Amino acid sequence: MATTDDRLEEKPPYGVDVDTEKNTAAVTTNDGPVAGWTRIRDLAHKAIVFGRVELRGVAPIPVEERTVDRTINIFTLWWSMNANILPIAFGMIGPASGLSLRDSSLVILFFVLLTTLLPAYLATLGPKTGMRQMIQARYSFGRYIVSIPVFLNLATMTGFCIIIAVIGGQCLSAVADGNLSVTVGIVIISLVTLVISFCGYKWLHIYERYAWIPAFIAIIVAAGCGGRDLANQVPAEPAKASAVLSYGMIMASYMVPWACLASDFTTYLKPDTSSVKIFCYSYFGLATPTILLMTLGAAVGGAIPNNPTWQDKYNETLVGGILDAMLAPAGGFGKFLVVVLAFTLLGNLAATSYSITLNFQMLVPVLFKVPRYMFSIVLVAIMIPVSIAAADDFFLNMENFLALIGYWSSAFLGVVLVEHFVYRKGDCGRYDPEAWNDAGLLPWGVAALGSVALSFAVVVPSMAQVWWTGPIARTTGDIGFELAFVVSGLLYVPLRWVERRHLGR
């Protein structure tokens, strides 16, 4: 008897018809049956059904199919997505920006606890609406204009995948003492990611349920082996407000984008699942490992200049090199743990890749007809060459990428939350499930797009980046993401009122 976790959509992939009475697949094409192609398609279909690959795309999940009651999956999903070495890399940016370990840790603690509120809350809407996050956004951005935030979300998530692939490739290269190039390491990490993201919701949650265990064991051993050297921190000047806020922006750029895909992972839960339980599982599953590992990263970053061996390994393969140096006292077992740490990144990569495949279907209407799992292949085809190019100057490329994503996602979320709380009174029943793909029933999206665009009139002067520092930011530091969230939400109230008055929807 199937469990609630297994009751997922089993309709055939696009272009395949299944005769369920005979339990056979009959494949047709517009040009008539072709024997060889039919056999290939038939085998592919059987493999997909046997493997329980999720075939449903971005259409809202009907109430009768929202049957999963294992709520703890939400906690293990968020925990595994962040219980890896990616937060360590982000933590290392603090000391590199001139902050001490204490100041870096306080910034990490405050900004992570604050910004985790957004993804934790939006995750609670998935079971009630059955909608993926960017489908819900159509109820403010409209059927077609929503393609703009979808594109930006795709760029954001793909950028994170590239960062992760580079770090994983660096780890594999470091453990091989240069006998394996970073390029080959990137290819290996990307291809393994393809397998997990291809399968979909069920297998994603099964994988994430256990993926964090070897990750935490390896990280604890690494911290233990290098603990004595972590105390030898580089002296730092007292923190300035501008440095604190700029590093806070980096924290926001890591945390806020999770909100743009939060409900993607909860749509199969039963509609009556406790929102408080989902919120708490999401909040603590996301915030706890992130705070701990970013703080460890800050300690590592502040200790590197005082340890010549660590500095040399860092110069060779960056994050992978420093982890290899920290685990060197463990000998061959340490090398093995570096490999484990490389593959712990799959917890993040797999979940992010899953949401990317859904966002591809929402980008333009014609892509809705392409099966979700096919975009896993497209993603890997993009990831590999871009990751190889980005690896050459990794931390500079990462900071330039992070400099942009926090602003748009904050502005986007300001609009979505005002729509939900002000115009839909916080009631998920006000989202008509029949309207999700009907431009005539959805808003135009002009108010939403206008609010986001106009908010950048104050965001740009408040940005502090290597390539641009606005007049406001010269005094305050980077407060762009905070203003983007607040100003876009405030502008949306009157603009949406005008839109509703003219459209009636």
Side-chain angles (χ1 to χ4, degrees), residues 292-452:
L292 293 174
L293 295 177
M294 282 188 176
T295 303
L296 175 60
V300 172
I304 290 175
N306 285 336
N307 189 315
T309 302
W310 288 16
Q311 186 68 65
D312 291 342
K313 294 291 288 185
Y314 176 78
N315 292 340
E316 291 175 9
T317 46
L318 298 178
V319 180
I322 188 63
L323 290 170
D324 186 43
M326 290 175 67
L327 284 163
F333 181 62
K335 295 283 187 184
F336 169 74
L337 289 181
V338 176
V339 175
V340 171
L341 287 170
F343 285 104
T344 62
L345 292 163
L346 295 174
N348 190 307
L349 262 176
T352 306
S353 301
Y354 172 74
S355 283
I356 288 175
T357 62
L358 296 170
N359 275 253
F360 265 119
Q361 288 190 313
M362 291 181 261
L363 187 57
V364 292
V366 69
L367 295 180
F368 176 69
K369 298 180 179 180
V370 181
R372 179 202 62 79
Y373 54 84
M374 292 301 296
F375 290 114
S376 299
I377 301 172
V378 174
L379 172 63
V380 171
I382 295 171
M383 274 177 57
I384 292 175
V386 178
S387 298
I388 292 170
D392 291 337
D393 202 345
F394 174 64
F395 270 104
L396 177 61
N397 289 325
M398 183 170 78
E399 289 194 60
N400 287 337
F401 164 70
L402 293 172
L404 298 175
I405 62 175
Y407 305 125
W408 87 261
S409 53
S410 294
F412 165 80
L413 292 170
V415 167
V416 169
L417 289 172
V418 168
E419 175 69 31
H420 180 68
F421 285 111
V422 176
Y423 289 104
R424 300 190 188 268
K425 311 301 181 186
D427 181 7
C428 291
R430 293 178 179 245
Y431 294 89
D432 179 7
E434 302 300 321
W436 76 276
N437 204 33
D438 188 339
L441 297 177
L442 292 169
W444 280 345
V446 174
L449 182 61
S451 301
V452 171

Side-chain angles (χ1 to χ4, degrees), residues 176-229:
D177 295 323
N179 295 320
L180 178 76
S181 69
V182 174
T183 296
V184 175
I186 288 171
V187 172
I188 293 172
I189 294 293
S190 300
L191 292 178
V192 177
T193 301
L194 170 64
V195 176
I196 302 171
S197 64
F198 185 89
C199 295
Y201 183 94
K202 175 197 169 185
W203 291 109
L204 175 66
H205 277 279
I206 291 174
Y207 175 81
E208 303 286 11
R209 195 179 303 163
Y210 306 105
W212 67 272
I213 299 173
F216 245 69
I217 292 173
I219 291 169
I220 290 171
V221 174
C225 289
R228 181 173 54 189
D229 294 294

